[in-house]
Amino acid sequence: PDPGALFDSEVSTSSNRAAFFYAASCALFGGFVAAPHLYAAAAQGGHTRYDAHAGPVLGLDASPFHRHLFLSTGADASLRLYSLLQSKPLLVLEPAVCCLHSAAWSHTRPTVFAAAAANGSVYLYDLLVSTSSAVAEIKQSQQTGPAGAILAVAFNPRMRSFLACGDANGFVHVWNLSWGLANVRPGEKDELSRIARALSDGEGGAGGEQSGAEESRSE
């Protein structure tokens, strides 16, 4: 990687265990971070550089269903979908005008992923429904006081309808996802591969119904 300070690096192992991702800033000047870059380091050595965010990379997650796909989020308010096979992102999504602190793939729905935002919301995407817009925005319950920035988000690998997040106020929130967001559809893994190929070729687009979620617990 470029010389300079490593800033808020995160590691996420890809599904085939052959590569891992990390974020590195190219320099650190008086507390301000120059545009950080994404790299994939192969097990046999060497690395590939991907198009940079316009600020620190704050979250990374590799798809558990497709060995080439991974997500990144950053302080530039963008959620990006990359393929290991090309340097430019397949998708650049901006659900809110604020930092996106974390991203996570569903463990049961190959085309579903989530992003955690500094505005206190979690944005859910389903590529079967849309490759440009979130299908649901989950907001914090007011029972815990003013909404804090969501710093982490994760799908439960065993209880497929549960989505958890942690906020800047120290609370953990658990939501119960709708049936549509939690349960895999026939042929969905193949559909993810098809969508990835279409996005790589400059095509895209999906249609369908939207789904939501409700908060089941906040503690």
Side-chain angles (χ1 to χ4, degrees):
D2 293 342
L6 200 64
F7 182 84
D8 207 14
S9 65
E10 297 198 13
V11 173
S12 181
T13 308
S14 66
S15 57
N16 65 356
R17 305 292 178 182
F20 66 91
F21 315 109
Y22 58 94
S25 64
C26 64
L28 184 62
F29 302 107
F32 294 93
V33 180
H37 302 286
L38 287 165
Y39 299 87
Q44 64 268 28
H47 66 268
T48 303
R49 175 170 159 172
Y50 298 89
D51 280 11
H53 281 259
V57 177
L58 303 177
L60 292 168
D61 196 29
S63 169
F65 296 99
H66 194 296
R67 64 181 183 175
H68 293 149
L69 299 181
F70 67 98
L71 300 167
S72 69
T73 54
D76 60 354
S78 71
L79 165 64
R80 299 184 177 203
L81 173 65
Y82 287 90
S83 168
L84 283 173
L85 303 180
Q86 62 187 70
S87 60
K88 293 186 179 299
L90 302 180
L91 283 177
V92 178
L93 305 165
E94 296 183 350
V97 186
C98 61
C99 291
L100 299 180
H101 289 284
S102 179
W105 287 91
S106 168
H107 295 280
T108 57
R109 289 285 317 278
T111 61
V112 169
F113 51 86
N119 65 1
S121 292
V122 174
Y123 296 90
L124 284 157
Y125 288 83
D126 184 349
L127 297 178
L128 282 181
V129 176
S130 174
T131 56
S132 60
S133 302
V135 297
E137 177 185 359
I138 307 175
K139 297 183 179 181
Q140 297 176 45
S141 168
Q142 297 301 309
Q143 296 176 356
T144 57
I150 303 295
L151 303 179
V153 63
F155 290 85
N156 189 306
R158 295 189 178 183
M159 304 293 289
R160 60 180 178 268
S161 66
F162 283 2
L163 177 74
C165 74
D167 69 24
N169 295 327
F171 289 96
V172 172
H173 305 265
V174 179
W175 284 280
N176 189 21
L177 298 175
S178 66
W179 191 95
L181 282 172
N183 289 271
V184 66
R185 303 181 186 184
E188 186 172 342
K189 186 176 179 180
D190 292 336
E191 277 296 296
L192 176 62
S193 296
R194 183 195 65 77
I195 292 169
R197 287 194 300 270
L199 292 172
S200 181
D201 293 338
E203 304 170 9
E209 60 187 67
Q210 296 189 354
S211 305
E214 60 182 13
E215 187 172 8
S216 60
R217 183 169 69 255
S218 179
E219 54 189 48

